[in-house]
Amino acid sequence: TAAKLVGLDVVLHGGAEYHGRATVELPPGRARALDYVNGPGEFFTLFSDETTHYLNKSFVRLIRPLD
C-alpha cells in the first residue's frame, strides 16, 4: 500500500480539538480515519503548518476526515 496524506479533525475526551494532516498507510478496505487511530502504537501524529501534535489514542473521543 502507498501512504497518503489525509486531513483529520480530532476531539479529545477533555474537549480539546485539533485539526491537521496525518500520513496514513492502510490496506484497501481499512482506510477510514478510525482504522488509522486503531492501528498499532499508543500515539499518532497530527501536523499543521505551525505545529506537530503527538496525540494519545486512548484520549480520542471523536475523529473524522476533513476531506
Side-chain angles (χ1 to χ4, degrees):
T1 62
K4 67 178 187 174
L5 193 63
V6 296
L8 296 174
D9 181 25
V10 180
V11 180
L12 302 183
H13 286 293
E17 294 187 35
Y18 298 92
H19 313 282
R21 296 176 304 279
T23 302
V24 178
E25 186 169 355
L26 295 168
R30 307 244 344 141
R32 302 172 303 161
L34 184 59
D35 294 327
Y36 173 62
V37 174
N38 286 334
E42 293 181 44
F43 294 84
F44 67 97
T45 306
L46 189 70
F47 58 94
S48 65
D49 293 333
E50 299 104 21
T51 307
T52 300
H53 300 280
Y54 299 96
L55 302 173
N56 188 319
K57 294 178 181 182
S58 66
F59 293 158
V60 173
R61 182 175 61 111
L62 174 69
I63 185 168
R64 61 182 164 242
L66 294 174
D67 304 331

